[in-house]
Amino acid sequence: QVQLVESGGGLVQAGGSLRLSCTASGLTFSIYNMGWFRQAPGKEREFVLSIGWKGTIVYADSVKGRFVISRDNSQNSVYLQMNSLKPEDTAVYYCAAKNFDSNVQRPTTYRYWGHGTQVTVSS
């Protein structure tokens, strides 16, 4: 049974930082592409960042220069370092896994999802 568990969310003031973690089990983590998505109330789930099994990184324009993604295959984990946070970054953040390389920005192409962690940025 595949599980993705996110942690690290919380409440932070604008300009602050948070680091999210996602730990996977039940799959061969090193061969999966991992993505972070977010969903704000009343909005569709949107792509944030992804890191491929070869290390290829794709950013959403809205987070470029502020967010950093990394992975540690020895820990079956992917991380999202969020800096210079803005109120518009407030959302539930999800990690997701897929085992093919194309369309990493499309949430429908991911096979496995975590339950999400809430990030709230106050102004």
Side-chain angles (χ1 to χ4, degrees):
Q1 181 182 358
V2 175
Q3 283 191 313
L4 302 179
V5 180
E6 302 97 336
S7 61
L11 173 64
V12 64
Q13 287 188 331
S17 298
L18 280 175
R19 186 179 190 240
L20 305 184
S21 300
C22 171
T23 300
S25 60
L27 53 70
T28 305
F29 181 79
S30 61
I31 64 170
Y32 274 77
N33 298 294
M34 301 300 297
W36 284 99
F37 291 80
R38 65 187 181 187
Q39 189 166 17
K43 295 188 176 180
E44 293 187 351
R45 192 166 298 188
E46 67 170 355
F47 171 78
V48 180
L49 279 160
S50 67
I51 183 165
W53 66 279
K54 296 179 181 179
T56 302
I57 294 174
V58 179
Y59 290 88
D61 288 342
S62 59
V63 304
K64 198 171 292 184
R66 300 189 300 122
F67 290 12
V68 177
I69 191 171
S70 61
R71 66 188 296 161
D72 184 344
N73 290 340
S74 70
Q75 299 294 318
N76 283 3
S77 294
V78 60
Y79 307 100
L80 181 62
Q81 177 67 44
M82 305 185 294
N83 303 316
S84 301
L85 282 160
K86 305 174 181 180
E88 51 263 43
D89 294 318
T90 295
V92 177
Y93 283 71
Y94 300 88
C95 73
K98 59 186 289 183
N99 58 0
F100 60 97
D101 294 341
S102 60
N103 299 316
V104 293
Q105 300 186 48
R106 292 177 59 186
T108 56
T109 66
Y110 286 76
R111 182 172 182 181
Y112 303 111
W113 289 84
H115 291 295
T117 185
Q118 175 71 46
V119 171
T120 303
V121 184
S122 63
S123 58

